[in-house]
Amino acid sequence: MNQDVLDLARLQFALTAGGHFLFVALTLGLATVVAVLQTRATFSRKPLDARMVRFWGQLYVINYAVGIVTGLVMEFQFGMTWSGLTHEAGNILGASLAVETIVAFFVESTFLGLWIFGWNRLNRWAHLAAIWIVVLTAYVSAYWILVSNGFLNHPVGYGSENGELVLDDPVAVLTNTSALLAFGHIVAGALLTAGFFMAGVSAYHLFRRSPEWEFFGRSLRIGVFLSAPALMVTAVFGGVQFAVLDAFQPMKSAVFSGKTAEIARVQAELTERFGPGDYVPSEAWTRGGALVMLICFALMMYLCFAGMILAAFRKVVFRFRLWHLVLMAGVPLPYLAMISGWVFRESGRQPWVVYGLLKTEDAVSDLSPGTMRLSLTVFTTVFVLLAVLNAWLLTRHARRGPVDAGLGRDERPTAGEGGNGDGTTGEGGTPDAADTLPAPRY
């Protein structure tokens, strides 16, 4: 295997997987928040609750729409760049990836479409059911992806036929401890990301003394009170994963701890089991990823606990501008923590792509360095453009606030019923309740 091809292939996968996950984290968390907000709005029938659903739902839809494009690249990468993986372990990974594709691109997308275009058309209970189905299928999709990733990190439930891995125990694969712990960690981390995002956007408007003070005051509190428990759950699942690391991947644990003697012992043990080779992953990436993740956790912990106290005081929520600046600056922290956590998880298992069964160098397709450079250039360019587009759209809509949100606007012609036919009034010529709300001054 040409070392340049291997390095370029790993870099390409790291960039595209990391870029895609930036979208997934906010999508998964914000979808849950929007579903809870809509549940409240469905029961309360209050205009403020409806407007919150539409505003945060619009941001969710933007992030989902751009993120779904980045997810398509992941499917192509397995066949194009990692043919050795699909050849050796495709009998196990193929089923979970296929189910994830069906759930994400058919079920989830279908019901999301019903939710987006079902405003003012579906019964309010059917419309509420649509968003909850979207949320549940998003969780199911994440679970199936982590079933595949869990097998790569801790292979279980497999057999071997003619030198290829085959599925021997489906229940063991589906209940893989590595997958279940990662699933809990990711779901809680996604809620944490959504909480920091909501708090940061709301703090921006409160800092600017927005007339929508009640709207963003409530949104800020939701973000803060969501972030603290989400952070604790994320830490619990992360701590349990650290506790089982010695059993699953002793070399990663030794490298993270910086124990030279333990690294040498595990290296000798792996050499005896699998033959000569370097079984020590990059210490810089492995330890660096873990340390960055832990530093971000510490910073978020201080912000969350201080925020819980500050958010209990109404005047502080609306007038403490220094806190608003801190909340805005804290929005990137969950993203940085989750990406560095993935770097630790994935780089720490090297040189294995399937731990103990298939080396990374044996999983890479037989491509020329020129082909890999072209592929890396194209994919990286596309991902950068999509990330910039997503950031611009989110920033643009977030700065506008809950004014004239496209999502949920009643566009049915109502001229014959006393309206003006442009969709600005509801049935009977009355204003759309979700478009009007008094904006008292401070």
Side-chain angles (χ1 to χ4, degrees), residues 309-366:
I309 297 173
L310 295 173
F313 299 94
R314 182 177 176 83
K315 288 187 177 180
V316 172
V317 170
F318 296 128
R319 298 182 180 276
F320 193 3
R321 305 186 79 185
L322 178 60
W323 184 37
H324 297 158
L325 289 174
V326 172
L327 290 176
M328 285 186 275
V331 171
L333 285 177
Y335 289 103
L336 184 58
M338 298 187 84
I339 288 298
S340 57
W342 272 112
V343 169
F344 170 69
R345 180 177 175 88
E346 300 304 299
S347 66
R349 76 164 184 262
Q350 294 301 317
W352 304 101
V353 65
V354 181
Y355 194 81
L357 299 176
L358 179 65
K359 289 187 176 181
T360 307
E361 61 185 19
D362 297 325
V364 180
S365 301
D366 186 14

Short mmCIF file of all heavy atoms in Angstrom, two decimals, residues 309-366:
data_model
loop_
_atom_site.label_atom_id
_atom_site.label_comp_id
_atom_site.label_asym_id
_atom_site.label_seq_id
_atom_site.Cartn_x
_atom_site.Cartn_y
_atom_site.Cartn_z
N ILE A 309 -27.81 29.43 37.65
CA ILE A 309 -28.05 30.40 38.72
C ILE A 309 -28.53 31.73 38.14
O ILE A 309 -29.53 32.31 38.58
CB ILE A 309 -26.79 30.60 39.56
CG1 ILE A 309 -26.40 29.28 40.24
CG2 ILE A 309 -26.99 31.70 40.60
CD1 ILE A 309 -25.06 29.33 40.96
N LEU A 310 -27.82 32.21 37.12
CA LEU A 310 -28.16 33.50 36.53
C LEU A 310 -29.53 33.50 35.88
O LEU A 310 -30.27 34.50 35.95
CB LEU A 310 -27.09 33.91 35.51
CG LEU A 310 -25.69 34.17 36.07
CD1 LEU A 310 -24.69 34.39 34.95
CD2 LEU A 310 -25.70 35.37 37.01
N ALA A 311 -29.89 32.39 35.22
CA ALA A 311 -31.16 32.33 34.51
C ALA A 311 -32.36 32.33 35.46
O ALA A 311 -33.50 32.53 35.02
CB ALA A 311 -31.22 31.08 33.63
N ALA A 312 -32.13 32.12 36.73
CA ALA A 312 -33.23 32.14 37.70
C ALA A 312 -33.69 33.55 38.02
O ALA A 312 -34.77 33.73 38.59
CB ALA A 312 -32.80 31.43 38.98
N PHE A 313 -32.89 34.56 37.60
CA PHE A 313 -33.23 35.95 37.90
C PHE A 313 -33.66 36.65 36.60
O PHE A 313 -32.87 36.76 35.65
CB PHE A 313 -32.05 36.68 38.53
CG PHE A 313 -31.61 36.07 39.84
CD1 PHE A 313 -30.58 35.13 39.87
CD2 PHE A 313 -32.23 36.43 41.03
CE1 PHE A 313 -30.17 34.57 41.06
CE2 PHE A 313 -31.82 35.87 42.23
CZ PHE A 313 -30.81 34.93 42.25
N ARG A 314 -34.88 37.12 36.58
CA ARG A 314 -35.46 37.67 35.37
C ARG A 314 -34.66 38.88 34.85
O ARG A 314 -34.38 38.96 33.64
CB ARG A 314 -36.91 38.08 35.66
CG ARG A 314 -37.67 38.63 34.46
CD ARG A 314 -39.12 38.94 34.83
NE ARG A 314 -39.84 39.55 33.73
CZ ARG A 314 -40.40 38.88 32.74
NH1 ARG A 314 -40.31 37.55 32.70
NH2 ARG A 314 -41.07 39.50 31.80
N LYS A 315 -34.30 39.80 35.72
CA LYS A 315 -33.58 40.99 35.27
C LYS A 315 -32.21 40.63 34.71
O LYS A 315 -31.73 41.26 33.76
CB LYS A 315 -33.45 41.98 36.42
CG LYS A 315 -34.75 42.68 36.78
CD LYS A 315 -34.51 43.78 37.81
CE LYS A 315 -35.81 44.52 38.13
NZ LYS A 315 -35.60 45.61 39.13
N VAL A 316 -31.58 39.62 35.28
CA VAL A 316 -30.27 39.19 34.78
C VAL A 316 -30.39 38.65 33.37
O VAL A 316 -29.56 38.93 32.49
CB VAL A 316 -29.67 38.12 35.72
CG1 VAL A 316 -28.40 37.52 35.11
CG2 VAL A 316 -29.36 38.72 37.08
N VAL A 317 -31.43 37.88 33.12
CA VAL A 317 -31.65 37.30 31.79
C VAL A 317 -31.73 38.40 30.73
O VAL A 317 -31.17 38.28 29.64
CB VAL A 317 -32.94 36.45 31.78
CG1 VAL A 317 -33.30 36.05 30.34
CG2 VAL A 317 -32.76 35.21 32.63
N PHE A 318 -32.41 39.49 31.05
CA PHE A 318 -32.65 40.53 30.05
C PHE A 318 -31.57 41.61 30.02
O PHE A 318 -31.37 42.25 28.99
CB PHE A 318 -34.00 41.21 30.32
CG PHE A 318 -35.17 40.27 30.16
CD1 PHE A 318 -36.11 40.14 31.16
CD2 PHE A 318 -35.32 39.51 29.01
CE1 PHE A 318 -37.19 39.29 31.03
CE2 PHE A 318 -36.38 38.65 28.86
CZ PHE A 318 -37.33 38.53 29.87
N ARG A 319 -30.83 41.81 31.11
CA ARG A 319 -29.98 42.99 31.20
C ARG A 319 -28.49 42.72 31.42
O ARG A 319 -27.68 43.64 31.29
CB ARG A 319 -30.47 43.89 32.34
CG ARG A 319 -31.88 44.41 32.13
CD ARG A 319 -32.30 45.34 33.25
NE ARG A 319 -33.65 45.85 33.04
CZ ARG A 319 -33.95 46.90 32.30
NH1 ARG A 319 -32.98 47.55 31.69
NH2 ARG A 319 -35.19 47.30 32.17
N PHE A 320 -28.09 41.49 31.72
CA PHE A 320 -26.68 41.21 32.01
C PHE A 320 -25.94 40.98 30.69
O PHE A 320 -25.78 39.86 30.21
CB PHE A 320 -26.57 39.99 32.91
CG PHE A 320 -25.20 39.81 33.52
CD1 PHE A 320 -24.17 40.72 33.31
CD2 PHE A 320 -24.92 38.70 34.32
CE1 PHE A 320 -22.92 40.56 33.86
CE2 PHE A 320 -23.68 38.51 34.88
CZ PHE A 320 -22.69 39.45 34.65
N ARG A 321 -25.46 42.05 30.11
CA ARG A 321 -24.90 42.00 28.75
C ARG A 321 -23.57 41.25 28.71
O ARG A 321 -23.24 40.65 27.68
CB ARG A 321 -24.74 43.42 28.20
CG ARG A 321 -26.04 44.22 28.24
CD ARG A 321 -25.90 45.56 27.57
NE ARG A 321 -25.97 45.42 26.12
CZ ARG A 321 -25.77 46.44 25.27
NH1 ARG A 321 -25.46 47.63 25.74
NH2 ARG A 321 -25.85 46.25 23.97
N LEU A 322 -22.78 41.28 29.78
CA LEU A 322 -21.53 40.53 29.80
C LEU A 322 -21.83 39.03 29.70
O LEU A 322 -21.13 38.29 28.99
CB LEU A 322 -20.76 40.82 31.08
CG LEU A 322 -19.44 40.04 31.27
CD1 LEU A 322 -18.48 40.35 30.12
CD2 LEU A 322 -18.80 40.37 32.61
N TRP A 323 -22.86 38.57 30.39
CA TRP A 323 -23.26 37.17 30.30
C TRP A 323 -23.72 36.84 28.88
O TRP A 323 -23.44 35.76 28.36
CB TRP A 323 -24.37 36.89 31.31
CG TRP A 323 -24.81 35.45 31.37
CD1 TRP A 323 -24.02 34.35 31.24
CD2 TRP A 323 -26.14 34.96 31.55
NE1 TRP A 323 -24.77 33.20 31.34
CE2 TRP A 323 -26.08 33.55 31.54
CE3 TRP A 323 -27.38 35.59 31.74
CZ2 TRP A 323 -27.21 32.76 31.70
CZ3 TRP A 323 -28.51 34.80 31.91
CH2 TRP A 323 -28.42 33.40 31.88
N HIS A 324 -24.41 37.78 28.25
CA HIS A 324 -24.85 37.56 26.87
C HIS A 324 -23.64 37.34 25.95
O HIS A 324 -23.65 36.45 25.08
CB HIS A 324 -25.66 38.77 26.37
CG HIS A 324 -26.93 38.99 27.13
ND1 HIS A 324 -27.58 40.21 27.16
CD2 HIS A 324 -27.68 38.14 27.90
CE1 HIS A 324 -28.67 40.11 27.90
NE2 HIS A 324 -28.76 38.87 28.36
N LEU A 325 -22.60 38.13 26.14
CA LEU A 325 -21.39 37.96 25.33
C LEU A 325 -20.75 36.59 25.57
O LEU A 325 -20.29 35.94 24.63
CB LEU A 325 -20.39 39.07 25.66
CG LEU A 325 -20.75 40.48 25.16
CD1 LEU A 325 -19.73 41.49 25.69
CD2 LEU A 325 -20.78 40.52 23.64
N VAL A 326 -20.72 36.15 26.82
CA VAL A 326 -20.14 34.85 27.14
C VAL A 326 -20.94 33.73 26.48
O VAL A 326 -20.37 32.77 25.94
CB VAL A 326 -20.09 34.66 28.68
CG1 VAL A 326 -19.67 33.23 29.02
CG2 VAL A 326 -19.13 35.65 29.30
N LEU A 327 -22.27 33.84 26.51
CA LEU A 327 -23.10 32.81 25.89
C LEU A 327 -22.89 32.76 24.38
O LEU A 327 -22.86 31.68 23.78
CB LEU A 327 -24.58 33.08 26.20
CG LEU A 327 -25.02 32.84 27.65
CD1 LEU A 327 -26.47 33.24 27.83
CD2 LEU A 327 -24.81 31.39 28.05
N MET A 328 -22.75 33.91 23.76
CA MET A 328 -22.47 33.93 22.32
C MET A 328 -21.12 33.29 22.01
O MET A 328 -20.99 32.52 21.06
CB MET A 328 -22.51 35.37 21.80
CG MET A 328 -23.90 35.96 21.66
SD MET A 328 -23.89 37.59 20.88
CE MET A 328 -23.56 38.64 22.29
N ALA A 329 -20.13 33.59 22.83
CA ALA A 329 -18.79 33.03 22.61
C ALA A 329 -18.76 31.53 22.89
O ALA A 329 -17.89 30.82 22.38
CB ALA A 329 -17.78 33.74 23.50
N GLY A 330 -19.71 31.03 23.69
CA GLY A 330 -19.72 29.61 24.05
C GLY A 330 -20.35 28.70 23.04
O GLY A 330 -20.26 27.46 23.18
N VAL A 331 -20.99 29.23 22.00
CA VAL A 331 -21.67 28.38 21.02
C VAL A 331 -20.73 27.35 20.38
O VAL A 331 -21.13 26.19 20.18
CB VAL A 331 -22.35 29.25 19.94
CG1 VAL A 331 -22.88 28.40 18.79
CG2 VAL A 331 -23.49 30.07 20.55
N PRO A 332 -19.48 27.68 20.02
CA PRO A 332 -18.62 26.67 19.38
C PRO A 332 -18.14 25.56 20.31
O PRO A 332 -17.64 24.53 19.83
CB PRO A 332 -17.42 27.49 18.87
CG PRO A 332 -17.88 28.92 18.88
CD PRO A 332 -18.85 29.01 20.01
N LEU A 333 -18.24 25.74 21.63
CA LEU A 333 -17.65 24.77 22.56
C LEU A 333 -18.18 23.34 22.38
O LEU A 333 -17.38 22.39 22.34
CB LEU A 333 -17.84 25.23 24.00
CG LEU A 333 -16.94 26.37 24.48
CD1 LEU A 333 -17.29 26.78 25.90
CD2 LEU A 333 -15.47 25.95 24.40
N PRO A 334 -19.50 23.11 22.29
CA PRO A 334 -19.96 21.73 22.10
C PRO A 334 -19.46 21.11 20.79
O PRO A 334 -19.14 19.92 20.75
CB PRO A 334 -21.48 21.86 22.10
CG PRO A 334 -21.77 23.15 22.77
CD PRO A 334 -20.62 24.04 22.45
N TYR A 335 -19.40 21.93 19.73
CA TYR A 335 -18.89 21.43 18.46
C TYR A 335 -17.43 20.99 18.61
O TYR A 335 -17.05 19.90 18.14
CB TYR A 335 -18.98 22.52 17.39
CG TYR A 335 -20.36 22.84 16.92
CD1 TYR A 335 -21.02 23.98 17.37
CD2 TYR A 335 -21.02 22.02 16.02
CE1 TYR A 335 -22.30 24.29 16.93
CE2 TYR A 335 -22.29 22.32 15.57
CZ TYR A 335 -22.93 23.46 16.03
OH TYR A 335 -24.19 23.76 15.60
N LEU A 336 -16.63 21.83 19.23
CA LEU A 336 -15.21 21.51 19.40
C LEU A 336 -15.03 20.27 20.27
O LEU A 336 -14.18 19.41 19.98
CB LEU A 336 -14.50 22.71 20.03
CG LEU A 336 -12.98 22.60 20.20
CD1 LEU A 336 -12.31 22.35 18.87
CD2 LEU A 336 -12.42 23.88 20.85
N ALA A 337 -15.85 20.16 21.33
CA ALA A 337 -15.75 19.00 22.21
C ALA A 337 -16.11 17.71 21.49
O ALA A 337 -15.44 16.68 21.64
CB ALA A 337 -16.66 19.20 23.42
N MET A 338 -17.18 17.75 20.68
CA MET A 338 -17.63 16.53 20.01
C MET A 338 -16.67 16.11 18.90
O MET A 338 -16.39 14.92 18.71
CB MET A 338 -19.04 16.72 19.47
CG MET A 338 -20.07 17.01 20.56
SD MET A 338 -21.78 17.05 19.98
CE MET A 338 -22.17 15.29 19.99
N ILE A 339 -16.15 17.08 18.15
CA ILE A 339 -15.19 16.74 17.10
C ILE A 339 -13.91 16.17 17.69
O ILE A 339 -13.36 15.16 17.21
CB ILE A 339 -14.89 17.98 16.24
CG1 ILE A 339 -16.10 18.32 15.37
CG2 ILE A 339 -13.68 17.73 15.35
CD1 ILE A 339 -16.48 17.23 14.38
N SER A 340 -13.41 16.80 18.75
CA SER A 340 -12.18 16.28 19.38
C SER A 340 -12.43 14.92 20.00
O SER A 340 -11.53 14.06 20.02
CB SER A 340 -11.67 17.27 20.43
OG SER A 340 -12.66 17.52 21.42
N GLY A 341 -13.64 14.68 20.50
CA GLY A 341 -13.98 13.36 21.02
C GLY A 341 -13.95 12.30 19.94
O GLY A 341 -13.48 11.18 20.16
N TRP A 342 -14.44 12.65 18.75
CA TRP A 342 -14.39 11.70 17.64
C TRP A 342 -12.94 11.45 17.20
O TRP A 342 -12.59 10.32 16.81
CB TRP A 342 -15.21 12.22 16.45
CG TRP A 342 -16.65 11.83 16.52
CD1 TRP A 342 -17.71 12.66 16.72
CD2 TRP A 342 -17.19 10.51 16.39
NE1 TRP A 342 -18.88 11.93 16.73
CE2 TRP A 342 -18.59 10.62 16.53
CE3 TRP A 342 -16.64 9.25 16.18
CZ2 TRP A 342 -19.44 9.51 16.45
CZ3 TRP A 342 -17.48 8.15 16.11
CH2 TRP A 342 -18.85 8.29 16.23
N VAL A 343 -12.12 12.49 17.22
CA VAL A 343 -10.70 12.30 16.88
C VAL A 343 -10.07 11.30 17.84
O VAL A 343 -9.34 10.39 17.43
CB VAL A 343 -9.96 13.66 16.94
CG1 VAL A 343 -8.45 13.44 16.85
CG2 VAL A 343 -10.42 14.56 15.81
N PHE A 344 -10.36 11.45 19.13
CA PHE A 344 -9.83 10.52 20.13
C PHE A 344 -10.34 9.10 19.89
O PHE A 344 -9.58 8.13 19.91
CB PHE A 344 -10.23 10.99 21.53
CG PHE A 344 -9.94 9.99 22.61
CD1 PHE A 344 -8.64 9.69 22.97
CD2 PHE A 344 -10.98 9.35 23.29
CE1 PHE A 344 -8.37 8.76 23.96
CE2 PHE A 344 -10.72 8.43 24.29
CZ PHE A 344 -9.41 8.13 24.63
N ARG A 345 -11.63 8.96 19.61
CA ARG A 345 -12.23 7.64 19.42
C ARG A 345 -11.68 6.94 18.18
O ARG A 345 -11.37 5.75 18.22
CB ARG A 345 -13.75 7.78 19.31
CG ARG A 345 -14.50 6.46 19.10
CD ARG A 345 -16.00 6.71 19.07
NE ARG A 345 -16.77 5.51 18.76
CZ ARG A 345 -17.20 4.63 19.64
NH1 ARG A 345 -16.91 4.81 20.93
NH2 ARG A 345 -17.91 3.57 19.28
N GLU A 346 -11.55 7.69 17.08
CA GLU A 346 -11.18 7.05 15.81
C GLU A 346 -9.66 6.92 15.63
O GLU A 346 -9.18 5.87 15.20
CB GLU A 346 -11.78 7.84 14.64
CG GLU A 346 -13.29 7.93 14.68
CD GLU A 346 -13.94 6.55 14.73
OE1 GLU A 346 -13.74 5.76 13.80
OE2 GLU A 346 -14.62 6.26 15.72
N SER A 347 -8.91 7.96 15.94
CA SER A 347 -7.45 7.87 15.75
C SER A 347 -6.83 6.95 16.78
O SER A 347 -5.79 6.33 16.52
CB SER A 347 -6.82 9.27 15.85
OG SER A 347 -6.96 9.80 17.15
N GLY A 348 -7.45 6.82 17.94
CA GLY A 348 -6.88 5.99 18.99
C GLY A 348 -6.92 4.51 18.72
O GLY A 348 -6.22 3.74 19.40
N ARG A 349 -7.74 4.06 17.76
CA ARG A 349 -7.78 2.62 17.48
C ARG A 349 -6.83 2.21 16.35
O ARG A 349 -6.76 1.04 15.98
CB ARG A 349 -9.20 2.17 17.14
CG ARG A 349 -9.69 2.55 15.74
CD ARG A 349 -10.93 1.73 15.38
NE ARG A 349 -11.38 1.99 14.03
CZ ARG A 349 -12.36 2.84 13.71
NH1 ARG A 349 -12.97 3.50 14.66
NH2 ARG A 349 -12.71 3.01 12.46
N GLN A 350 -6.13 3.18 15.78
CA GLN A 350 -5.18 2.86 14.73
C GLN A 350 -4.07 1.94 15.28
O GLN A 350 -3.73 2.02 16.45
CB GLN A 350 -4.59 4.14 14.15
CG GLN A 350 -5.62 4.99 13.42
CD GLN A 350 -6.28 4.25 12.26
OE1 GLN A 350 -5.60 3.56 11.50
NE2 GLN A 350 -7.58 4.37 12.16
N PRO A 351 -3.52 1.05 14.46
CA PRO A 351 -3.64 0.98 13.00
C PRO A 351 -4.80 0.11 12.50
O PRO A 351 -4.73 -0.41 11.38
CB PRO A 351 -2.30 0.36 12.60
CG PRO A 351 -2.02 -0.60 13.72
CD PRO A 351 -2.54 0.08 14.97
N TRP A 352 -5.82 -0.07 13.32
CA TRP A 352 -6.93 -0.94 12.95
C TRP A 352 -8.12 -0.12 12.44
O TRP A 352 -8.46 0.91 13.00
CB TRP A 352 -7.41 -1.75 14.16
CG TRP A 352 -6.35 -2.57 14.81
CD1 TRP A 352 -5.68 -2.27 15.96
CD2 TRP A 352 -5.84 -3.83 14.36
NE1 TRP A 352 -4.78 -3.26 16.26
CE2 TRP A 352 -4.85 -4.24 15.29
CE3 TRP A 352 -6.12 -4.64 13.27
CZ2 TRP A 352 -4.15 -5.42 15.15
CZ3 TRP A 352 -5.42 -5.83 13.12
CH2 TRP A 352 -4.45 -6.21 14.06
N VAL A 353 -8.77 -0.62 11.39
CA VAL A 353 -10.06 -0.07 10.99
C VAL A 353 -11.17 -0.90 11.62
O VAL A 353 -12.19 -0.37 12.04
CB VAL A 353 -10.20 0.02 9.46
CG1 VAL A 353 -10.21 -1.35 8.81
CG2 VAL A 353 -11.45 0.80 9.09
N VAL A 354 -10.97 -2.22 11.71
CA VAL A 354 -11.80 -3.09 12.55
C VAL A 354 -10.86 -3.64 13.60
O VAL A 354 -9.97 -4.43 13.30
CB VAL A 354 -12.46 -4.24 11.76
CG1 VAL A 354 -13.33 -5.09 12.69
CG2 VAL A 354 -13.29 -3.69 10.61
N TYR A 355 -11.03 -3.23 14.83
CA TYR A 355 -10.03 -3.46 15.87
C TYR A 355 -9.70 -4.95 16.03
O TYR A 355 -10.56 -5.78 16.31
CB TYR A 355 -10.51 -2.91 17.21
CG TYR A 355 -9.40 -2.80 18.23
CD1 TYR A 355 -8.53 -1.73 18.20
CD2 TYR A 355 -9.22 -3.79 19.19
CE1 TYR A 355 -7.50 -1.62 19.12
CE2 TYR A 355 -8.20 -3.68 20.12
CZ TYR A 355 -7.34 -2.60 20.07
OH TYR A 355 -6.31 -2.50 20.98
N GLY A 356 -8.42 -5.26 15.82
CA GLY A 356 -7.93 -6.61 15.98
C GLY A 356 -8.22 -7.54 14.81
O GLY A 356 -7.79 -8.70 14.82
N LEU A 357 -8.94 -7.06 13.78
CA LEU A 357 -9.33 -7.92 12.68
C LEU A 357 -8.85 -7.43 11.31
O LEU A 357 -8.47 -8.22 10.46
CB LEU A 357 -10.86 -8.08 12.64
CG LEU A 357 -11.51 -8.72 13.86
CD1 LEU A 357 -13.02 -8.71 13.70
CD2 LEU A 357 -11.00 -10.15 14.05
N LEU A 358 -8.90 -6.13 11.09
CA LEU A 358 -8.56 -5.59 9.77
C LEU A 358 -7.79 -4.30 9.94
O LEU A 358 -8.28 -3.34 10.55
CB LEU A 358 -9.83 -5.34 8.95
CG LEU A 358 -9.63 -4.74 7.55
CD1 LEU A 358 -8.88 -5.72 6.65
CD2 LEU A 358 -10.99 -4.37 6.94
N LYS A 359 -6.57 -4.26 9.41
CA LYS A 359 -5.76 -3.05 9.51
C LYS A 359 -6.21 -2.01 8.49
O LYS A 359 -6.74 -2.34 7.42
CB LYS A 359 -4.28 -3.39 9.28
CG LYS A 359 -3.65 -4.16 10.43
CD LYS A 359 -2.15 -4.31 10.22
CE LYS A 359 -1.50 -4.99 11.43
NZ LYS A 359 -0.04 -5.14 11.27
N THR A 360 -5.99 -0.75 8.83
CA THR A 360 -6.40 0.35 7.97
C THR A 360 -5.74 0.26 6.60
O THR A 360 -6.36 0.51 5.57
CB THR A 360 -6.06 1.70 8.63
OG1 THR A 360 -6.60 1.72 9.95
CG2 THR A 360 -6.61 2.86 7.84
N GLU A 361 -4.47 -0.10 6.58
CA GLU A 361 -3.74 -0.17 5.31
C GLU A 361 -4.30 -1.26 4.40
O GLU A 361 -4.18 -1.17 3.18
CB GLU A 361 -2.26 -0.41 5.56
CG GLU A 361 -1.95 -1.71 6.28
CD GLU A 361 -0.48 -1.87 6.61
OE1 GLU A 361 0.23 -0.85 6.62
OE2 GLU A 361 -0.06 -3.00 6.84
N ASP A 362 -4.93 -2.27 4.98
CA ASP A 362 -5.52 -3.34 4.18
C ASP A 362 -6.94 -3.02 3.73
O ASP A 362 -7.52 -3.74 2.92
CB ASP A 362 -5.55 -4.65 4.98
CG ASP A 362 -4.16 -5.13 5.34
OD1 ASP A 362 -3.23 -4.94 4.52
OD2 ASP A 362 -3.98 -5.68 6.45
N ALA A 363 -7.53 -1.95 4.26
CA ALA A 363 -8.90 -1.59 3.92
C ALA A 363 -8.99 -0.55 2.82
O ALA A 363 -10.05 -0.34 2.23
CB ALA A 363 -9.63 -1.07 5.16
N VAL A 364 -7.87 0.11 2.52
CA VAL A 364 -7.87 1.18 1.52
C VAL A 364 -7.92 0.61 0.11
O VAL A 364 -7.31 -0.43 -0.18
CB VAL A 364 -6.63 2.07 1.69
CG1 VAL A 364 -6.61 3.20 0.67
CG2 VAL A 364 -6.59 2.65 3.08
N SER A 365 -8.68 1.27 -0.76
CA SER A 365 -8.77 0.84 -2.16
C SER A 365 -7.43 1.03 -2.86
O SER A 365 -6.60 1.86 -2.48
CB SER A 365 -9.84 1.64 -2.89
OG SER A 365 -11.11 1.48 -2.28
N ASP A 366 -7.23 0.27 -3.90
CA ASP A 366 -5.99 0.34 -4.68
C ASP A 366 -6.09 1.50 -5.67
O ASP A 366 -6.45 1.34 -6.83
CB ASP A 366 -5.77 -0.98 -5.42
CG ASP A 366 -4.42 -1.01 -6.13
OD1 ASP A 366 -3.59 -0.14 -5.83
OD2 ASP A 366 -4.23 -1.89 -6.98
#
